[in-house]
Amino acid sequence: MQVRFLLKMEPEKIKAQLEHQVRQNVMKAGLHFRNELVKTVNNEGTGREYPVPGTGRIEQVEIINKRGRKQKVRKRVNATMHRASAPGEPPAVLFGQLKTHMAVEFVEEGSRFIARVGPRGVPYAKRLEFGFNAKDSLGRRYNMAPRPYFMKTYMEQKETLLRILRGEQP
């Protein structure tokens, strides 16, 4: 008995299927990374605590200073308090701007599929990641240590992202 079969290849169809799968994997990896970034910046800090600007009211109170004398000082009362992040840890959430502005943009450049992930429209995002030691445009002096979130998350998720891009389960 003789068995015959015909193998018919359609290169264009195979190429289209591969491109579709690559596009899907890039989208999955981009969305996964965005979600992990949101988790990273969605935390409470362990740094110093201070009143949130615009909350509470300022009253004049009388205290006794170090010399034992009465002194009148202005004090903010009934303010909402915020605990900032310590230098070296991811930024703590105050108003949620960084968290809510994490975006993924998918771009096709020729035969390349790219997922651009990161904060959009948050001018202080780079200052948080890398720190800032200079004057701003209003002349205010800053000496802020880095609060890394992007590269830290990328390094933690690198292997998972590669698995997703290869089409494997994370």
Side-chain angles (χ1 to χ4, degrees), residues 34-64:
R34 181 230 172 248
N35 292 340
E36 292 300 317
L37 282 170
V38 168
K39 287 179 193 174
T40 300
V41 299
N42 190 25
N43 63 48
E44 292 185 18
T46 60
R48 100 182 157 89
E49 190 174 57
Y50 62 90
V52 175
T55 63
R57 65 184 189 284
I58 297 178
E59 290 182 355
Q60 194 159 359
V61 296
E62 198 171 275
I63 64 165
I64 298 179

Side-chain angles (χ1 to χ4, degrees), residues 22-40 99 102-107 113-118 120 150 153 157 160-162 164-165 170:
V22 168
R23 187 180 293 116
Q24 291 296 108
N25 293 349
V26 169
M27 287 180 171
K28 286 178 188 175
L31 290 170
H32 174 80
F33 187 45
R34 181 230 172 248
N35 292 340
E36 292 300 317
L37 282 170
V38 168
K39 287 179 193 174
T40 300
K99 176 178 71 168
M102 285 294 172
V104 184
E105 177 185 358
F106 299 105
V107 180
F113 304 105
I114 301 167
R116 293 187 180 133
V117 182
R120 301 285 188 269
F150 192 91
T153 305
Q157 295 297 317
T160 303
L161 293 171
L162 288 172
I164 293 170
L165 288 171

